[in-house]
Amino acid sequence: MIIFGFHFIKITDPATGQEFSSNPVYVSTEKPVCRIFWGDPHWQTIFSDGVRSPEELYGFARDEAFLDFGAISDHMEAVTQRQWEYFQAVTNDYNEPGRFATLVGQEWTHNQHGHRNIYYRGDNGPLVSSKDPDSDTLEKLWQTADKIASTGNEVLLIPHHSANKIMGCDWALGWNPKYEKALEIYSCWGSSECHKDDGNTRPIHHCQGEIAGRHARSALDLGYRFGFVGGGDIHDGRPGDCLDGHSNVVYQSGLTAVITPELTRENVFDAIKQHQCYAATCSRIYLEVWLEQNELAVKCASEHGLEAAEVIRNGKAVGCISPGTDARVIETSLKVPALSGNEYLYVRATTKKGDIAWCSPGFANGEK
């Protein structure tokens, strides 16, 4: 007999008696239209300030960390044009629809204007560097994106570690709604969701720490419309399974979950662009959230048990949902006032181990 709902596969080592549990598996009555695929789209290589070659990174992500998708997003200021051509070739070699999807990616690194990861929907695109006079400011970067898009090559620009004092984003410089469809809310540097005084359990310590006004909520309060993704920004050559998290400076890396029908490069890109994605720390927490009119439905699960799922509206926690009889699962719906104007709402789920998942925010009139 098939029992529908959440399941966890438990494995016991007969020699030691140790027990291990899988991450959640959801069994539905019908074949799902979309599935959840896990990836890390933010890695550095030996060509800048990381370790391992592109081939080694892709091999580790696919075969050892068991990710579904990933992307090298190395600092282009340290990469030559010839090396960039090599990066793209390796990325395309490892792209295998249905098994492992890769995005052609890079990082535009500018400490005065904020770092942006650049991703192409296709299999190639130009090298974009903050050292280039044509793209040495945020405004010029957006103009460069316009030129790229005019050729038919779709592009995404994703800000990251936005709350950091040195490497972060001054939201007063603006936001580009055409290309900046997502914000990397979490990486090994920590969470940029909100200030530590507002309950951030993983604030950024690196590079002089965080600064008020640069968090994800700060941008949302200004009317900016981001989906949420998580990344590694790893430098240790282990995407999806980094060795960080054992000091007071860095944490374990983050993950992005995309919700899409099939595992392809184009579908991963489109899911992020359309906010069909969510961010998590290094734990594959199941999180589905629907917001229609005044109805908020939440489906969440973790093998480590759930502490709560908090409803965040306009930067404030307005509701806290606890698990029921099974401490690993939350399945519920509740009434919420309709969103209007620049209002936003998202759900943050926390496990008993302190891992976190953030769904992409919902906005008034279902705006993306």
Side-chain angles (χ1 to χ4, degrees):
M1 181 178 67
I2 299 174
I3 301 176
F4 302 106
F6 284 108
H7 292 266
F8 302 84
I9 300 171
K10 185 167 67 174
I11 300 174
T12 303
D13 185 336
T16 64
Q18 287 183 294
E19 293 185 346
F20 305 90
S21 178
S22 71
N23 50 284
V25 177
Y26 190 81
V27 179
S28 58
T29 55
E30 298 178 356
K31 181 179 179 180
V33 175
C34 292
R35 293 176 54 198
I36 296 174
F37 297 100
W38 288 96
D40 174 357
H42 194 170
W43 323 331
Q44 317 298 340
T45 77
I46 196 171
F47 288 89
S48 67
D49 55 355
V51 300
R52 289 187 169 176
S53 68
E55 291 93 338
E56 291 174 304
L57 287 163
Y58 281 123
F60 184 94
R62 184 190 63 192
D63 301 330
E64 296 190 57
F66 305 111
L67 296 179
D68 297 311
F69 67 90
I72 292 170
S73 51
D74 217 343
H75 303 284
M76 289 298 100
E77 294 71 26
V79 174
T80 67
Q81 178 62 39
R82 187 68 175 268
Q83 290 166 343
W84 171 237
E85 292 169 2
Y86 154 63
F87 276 30
Q88 293 177 96
V90 174
T91 297
N92 291 324
D93 285 347
Y94 276 84
N95 187 50
E96 188 176 348
R99 182 189 180 195
F100 185 67
T102 64
L103 293 174
V104 174
Q106 56 185 298
E107 180 170 342
W108 181 84
T109 310
H110 198 306
N111 284 349
Q112 283 72 51
H113 296 270
H115 297 196
R116 299 296 194 279
N117 280 358
I118 302 171
Y119 301 99
Y120 297 117
R121 191 175 188 269
D123 60 7
N124 67 86
L127 183 157
V128 182
S129 169
S130 66
K131 289 184 177 181
D132 186 336
D134 290 334
S135 54
D136 60 0
T137 69
L138 190 56
E139 187 67 34
K140 290 181 181 179
L141 174 64
W142 294 336
Q143 293 170 1
T144 298
D146 281 334
K147 293 176 183 177
I148 296 169
S150 70
T151 69
N153 195 351
E154 291 192 59
V155 59
L156 288 174
L157 309 177
I158 299 184
H160 52 278
H161 47 54
S162 67
N164 184 248
K165 185 175 182 179
I166 301 299
M167 306 182 294
C169 299
D170 180 357
W171 298 125
L173 295 175
W175 163 66
N176 191 304
K178 289 189 293 185
Y179 308 115
E180 296 182 342
K181 297 291 188 178
L183 167 68
E184 188 181 274
I185 194 171
Y186 179 84
S187 70
C188 72
W189 306 118
S191 169
S192 286
E193 178 193 6
C194 60
H195 195 273
K196 62 182 179 182
D197 294 341
D198 296 319
N200 186 352
T201 58
R202 301 192 184 197
I204 297 175
H205 299 296
H206 187 64
C207 287
Q208 299 184 31
E210 63 176 1
I211 183 171
R214 293 189 174 186
H215 294 83
R217 291 184 188 174
S218 309
L220 293 170
D221 289 342
L222 290 171
Y224 300 174
R225 298 293 176 252
F226 292 118
F228 288 158
V229 296
D233 203 355
I234 59 105
H235 295 68
D236 67 356
R238 298 173 59 89
D241 187 27
C242 74
L243 296 177
D244 292 326
H246 304 291
S247 72
N248 294 324
V249 178
V250 293
Y251 305 85
Q252 280 196 305
S253 58
L255 297 171
T256 294
V258 297
I259 303 168
T260 190
E262 297 178 349
L263 181 60
T264 68
R265 166 185 289 167
E266 295 77 14
N267 281 358
V268 171
F269 183 99
D270 292 345
I272 295 172
K273 177 182 176 180
Q274 297 163 9
H275 300 184
Q276 299 298 313
C277 55
Y278 65 92
T281 58
C282 203
S283 180
R284 302 187 188 197
I285 302 165
Y286 188 109
L287 181 61
E288 285 192 79
V289 178
W290 302 269
L291 177 61
E292 293 186 8
Q293 302 296 328
N294 294 52
E295 189 82 12
L296 179 70
V298 180
K299 185 186 293 183
C300 182
S302 170
E303 70 273 22
H304 301 300
L306 293 170
E307 192 66 40
E310 295 176 274
V311 181
I312 310 297
R313 185 185 181 113
N314 305 328
K316 304 293 182 183
V318 297
C320 185
I321 308 166
S322 299
T325 304
D326 188 341
R328 301 170 298 179
V329 174
I330 288 175
E331 281 191 89
T332 190
S333 63
L334 60 156
K335 296 290 184 180
V336 297
L339 298 172
S340 62
N342 284 333
E343 290 190 310
Y344 61 90
L345 181 150
Y346 64 89
V347 173
R348 177 183 63 205
T350 306
T351 73
K352 295 288 187 181
K353 287 184 64 179
D355 280 301
I356 307 168
W358 299 264
C359 80
S360 288
F363 305 106
N365 302 317
E367 179 187 350
K368 295 292 187 183

